[in-house]
Amino acid sequence: MWRKLCRPGAIDWTIYLRKHGKFQTFGQDCFISPDSIFTDPRLTSIGNNVRIAGAWISCHDGSVNMLNRAYGLKLDSVGAVVINNDVFIGRGATILPGVTIGPRAIVGAGAVVGKDVPPNSVVAGNPARVIRTLDEHVEKMRARTASYPWRELIERRDGDFDPAIEGELTRQRIRHFYGK
């Protein structure tokens, strides 16, 4: 209810989840977008330095209820989700029951993850598959950053967001991409 009425930002939402979310574990230096969904926080473990940008994390197979009624059965299908340290999960990703992610892993936007994500990897797609190591991804991003005219601003940045330089950084990016 608080999320719908107050529309908290990611920092406030993360603080709320850490305090009231009833997760198995919830590490430090995390950033959880308010539109992220956790169907079973008690079966979800979140490590340190985890960023989740609007993903669906489920620890149960919702088809069980339909199958139980349709077949007159009493089935159950659950699995813990473990998100290790230093993990980014992109917008629209779906993490299915029983999955362990990382440490040091990226799940691409829109990926559907039905099996474990190896440490030091980047996965994407449906079904998610390894597309490169995290080390390869970092090198690719280093090269891209070095090519930007605002790289000196990035090097001076204090933390994830530095209000002292964000205005100039935005102006340089607009000029670079749109010539304005």
Side-chain angles (χ1 to χ4, degrees):
M1 182 64 79
W2 177 70
R3 178 172 53 174
K4 287 184 180 185
L5 292 176
C6 297
R7 300 181 184 268
I11 293 170
D12 290 334
W13 183 241
T14 303
I15 292 167
Y16 176 86
L17 288 177
R18 179 176 290 110
K19 186 174 182 180
H20 302 291
K22 300 181 180 171
F23 287 83
Q24 192 58 227
T25 61
F26 200 110
Q28 297 299 311
D29 300 316
C30 295
F31 185 90
I32 313 296
S33 177
D35 56 347
S36 299
I37 303 294
F38 299 89
T39 63
D40 305 282
R42 292 176 197 252
L43 296 177
T44 305
S45 176
I46 298 175
N48 296 316
N49 190 32
V50 171
R51 306 289 194 264
I52 302 176
W56 176 277
I57 293 104
S58 182
C59 296
H60 70 273
D61 180 342
S63 70
V64 167
N65 294 329
M66 179 279 298
L67 293 171
N68 285 340
R69 290 180 198 275
Y71 289 88
L73 298 171
K74 298 211 183 235
L75 303 172
D76 195 14
S77 183
V78 297
V81 170
V82 177
I83 303 168
N84 282 291
N85 298 336
D86 305 317
V87 169
F88 174 82
I89 301 174
R91 173 139 329 266
T94 300
I95 312 301
L96 298 174
V99 167
T100 296
I101 300 174
R104 297 184 45 190
I106 294 175
V107 175
V112 178
V113 183
K115 62 182 182 178
D116 291 353
V117 175
N120 192 43
S121 66
V122 177
V123 300
N126 179 6
R129 62 179 179 80
V130 175
I131 59 171
R132 66 178 68 97
T133 70
L134 189 61
D135 294 333
E136 291 167 336
H137 188 70
V138 167
E139 286 308 311
K140 188 174 184 177
M141 292 185 79
R142 275 188 184 154
R144 183 183 306 151
T145 300
S147 74
Y148 291 143
W150 56 83
R151 69 186 168 278
E152 291 86 16
L153 287 174
I154 297 297
E155 290 170 7
R156 288 194 343 235
R157 187 186 250 173
D158 185 25
D160 296 336
F161 179 84
D162 186 346
I165 67 165
E166 292 305 317
E168 180 59 24
L169 183 58
T170 299
R171 283 188 287 284
Q172 287 190 30
R173 287 172 171 167
I174 291 169
R175 186 172 38 249
H176 177 76
F177 292 117
Y178 297 103
K180 294 180 181 181

